[in-house]
Amino acid sequence: MNSKAVLISGGTSGIGLATAEILLRRGWRVAVNGRDIVRGEAALAYLAAQERAVFIRGDVATAEGCDDIVAQTLHCFGRLDGLVTSAGYYAEGILPHVSEEDAQRIFAVNVYGTIFLCKAALPYLKKTGGSIVTVSSDAAIQGNIACSLYAATKGAVTAFSRSLALETALHGVRVNCICPGDVKTPLVDKQLAADEKLDLQSMGDLYPLGRIAEAAEVGKAAAFLLSDDASFITATVLPVDGGLTSW
């Protein structure tokens, strides 16, 4: 009961699952959140951490859903020391093809999901002097073609994170934001499957390091910012993008 506990939204795959695995190895208790119970059970089987990992079913797209996710985590662990907002929705499309429904959905998950999950978790993070890591994107730093709506949501997450850090510093709660580029996740697998002209090498050629990231490389950045090793780091926006945004 004395070991630290973290809630990771979007924790059943990709960056969220990689972060969970790293934190478990470092002695944390981990709640991975997602909407799909089958994926949740698969994530727990992969983590193989028994009582130190739990799956929390819930949708971050509503404030009520965020409140329930945090409440379930507290019920399981009795405390909260960290929050990683890895749940996200990605969609491409030029603005003339964007519908009102498209805009509402992506903002509900990426922006409001981040905001209300932080709001729900904050009272408990204040008690433990905990830390928040939000997951933004390289699209928040530079423009990406056919991604104006997605970029807008991630820009909002980045600005929200820096401002929230100033609000919470008085309470000893740190807030930092990571901005990954392309990462080997199920999302990238879908992109590759949908475009026969696209492959990992052509994606990697866009990066100074010549490749895209492994999920664990981004997870390590999130784990560092949650840790006591980053005790004097807050309001930081950290690109984890192989140099992409410095071209």
Side-chain angles (χ1 to χ4, degrees):
M1 290 297 293
N2 292 324
S3 61
K4 290 185 176 181
V6 62
L7 167 62
I8 303 175
S9 69
T12 60
S13 65
I15 294 169
L17 183 59
T19 304
E21 184 178 17
I22 292 163
L23 291 172
L24 280 167
R25 289 201 302 264
R26 298 181 183 181
W28 287 64
R29 292 176 294 162
V30 174
V32 292
N33 155 251
R35 293 181 299 159
D36 189 317
I37 193 168
V38 174
R39 287 187 179 183
E41 291 174 348
L44 291 183
Y46 171 79
L47 294 171
Q50 298 178 357
E51 76 280 355
R52 290 202 300 119
V54 297
F55 170 63
I56 304 294
R57 188 179 185 183
D59 190 347
V60 301
T62 67
E64 182 181 5
C66 292
D67 289 342
D68 183 61
I69 290 165
V70 171
Q72 289 185 63
T73 303
L74 266 292
H75 177 75
C76 291
F77 293 148
R79 61 183 290 164
L80 190 61
D81 302 87
L83 171 66
V84 180
T85 62
S86 188
Y89 179 65
Y90 178 79
E92 295 180 352
I94 60 174
L95 190 58
H97 297 164
V98 171
S99 68
E100 181 179 0
E101 183 180 13
D102 293 334
Q104 289 174 341
R105 173 61 182 166
I106 198 167
F107 269 84
V109 176
N110 293 0
V111 180
Y112 301 128
T114 297
I115 290 171
F116 288 111
L117 203 55
C118 289
K119 180 182 178 183
L122 196 53
Y124 307 100
L125 293 172
K126 287 179 180 179
K127 293 179 180 179
T128 59
S131 178
I132 297 171
V133 175
T134 61
V135 180
S136 182
S137 168
D138 68 281
I141 300 174
Q142 64 180 21
N144 285 358
I145 191 169
C147 286
S148 58
L149 198 61
Y150 176 76
T153 66
K154 291 303 187 178
V157 167
T158 301
F160 166 75
S161 303
R162 298 191 73 174
S163 297
L164 182 63
L166 303 182
E167 292 182 22
T168 61
L170 181 65
H171 303 283
V173 176
R174 298 181 299 104
V175 184
N176 291 290
C177 177
I178 56 174
C179 292
D182 290 304
V183 184
K184 290 181 185 177
T185 64
L187 174 61
V188 164
D189 291 340
K190 289 182 180 179
Q191 289 179 279
L192 296 176
D195 187 349
E196 61 183 18
K197 296 180 180 178
L198 190 64
D199 57 32
L200 285 176
Q201 184 57 57
S202 61
M203 293 181 77
D205 288 342
L206 300 173
Y207 290 77
L209 287 182
R211 63 178 179 84
I212 68 172
E214 300 286 346
E217 292 177 304
V218 183
K220 288 175 183 177
F224 164 71
L225 290 172
L226 283 178
S227 75
D228 292 338
D229 289 338
S231 58
F232 203 60
I233 300 176
T234 196
T236 291
V237 177
L238 176 64
V240 190
D241 65 2
L244 178 67
T245 53
S246 294
W247 269 125

